[in-house]
Amino acid sequence: MWTLVYQMTNLSTLMCVGDGPQCRDYVISLGIVKPLISFINPNVPLSFLRNVTWVMVNLCRNKDPPPPMDMIREILPALAMLIHHTDTNVCDSLCLSWMFHFVFYTLFRVVYNDVMERADCGQLKHLILER
């Protein structure tokens, strides 16, 4: 019974998180990441793990604004474990969903902004943004 409740909750979260960055950020602010990561274990039914993977993918979606960097840092080890999973559906969800594109875009923006702020590259920033 509990498995059905978890699966339905997970599917609801999947739908909510996929509705855009505001919903994504709201669900993240409610503390979804740690419980979600706890479901990545051998005792979880495969169908449920597939849904957990899709929720994690949706948490990484949208670039405007990108996902919070703290969430990316928290979720990366779990994604690294999932990418080695033997189920092709889990791996396909990660690789074919553009999830890594969104993660790396977020990481790039953080590094870019940090460099621009620390290096006093006002003219360089102006030239890059012009193009």
Side-chain angles (χ1 to χ4, degrees):
M1 178 66 170
W2 69 269
T3 305
L4 180 60
V5 173
Y6 279 136
Q7 288 181 349
M8 296 308 292
T9 303
N10 189 270
L11 285 173
S12 299
T13 304
L14 172 62
M15 299 303 178
C16 181
V17 170
D19 277 344
Q22 293 83 11
C23 292
R24 175 203 65 205
D25 292 348
Y26 177 70
V27 170
I28 290 170
S29 76
L30 295 175
I32 188 72
V33 177
K34 283 188 192 315
L36 194 62
I37 291 172
S38 73
F39 289 125
I40 303 173
N41 70 65
N43 300 323
V44 172
L46 185 57
S47 61
F48 186 57
L49 182 63
R50 289 174 180 163
N51 289 336
V52 167
T53 303
W54 263 111
V55 172
M56 293 176 76
V57 165
N58 276 347
L59 286 173
C60 297
R61 283 182 56 198
N62 298 302
K63 296 189 294 186
D64 192 20
M69 192 60 202
D70 290 342
M71 190 277 304
I72 296 289
R73 284 188 190 106
E74 192 173 3
I75 211 168
L76 273 176
L79 297 175
M81 284 180 7
L82 286 172
I83 202 71
H84 295 288
H85 199 278
T86 56
D87 181 62
T88 55
N89 289 327
V90 169
C91 293
D92 287 351
S93 294
L94 295 171
C95 296
L96 301 177
S97 66
W98 289 77
M99 190 266 324
F100 285 107
H101 165 78
F102 291 120
V103 168
F104 291 126
Y105 176 83
T106 301
L107 294 172
F108 170 77
R109 294 302 299 172
V110 168
V111 170
Y112 169 82
N113 289 337
D114 192 43
V115 167
M116 289 299 156
E117 287 174 14
R118 292 174 190 251
D120 191 23
C121 299
Q123 180 60 22
L124 178 60
K125 184 176 182 177
H126 174 72
L127 292 172
I128 291 172
L129 293 176
E130 259 187 11
R131 301 187 196 287

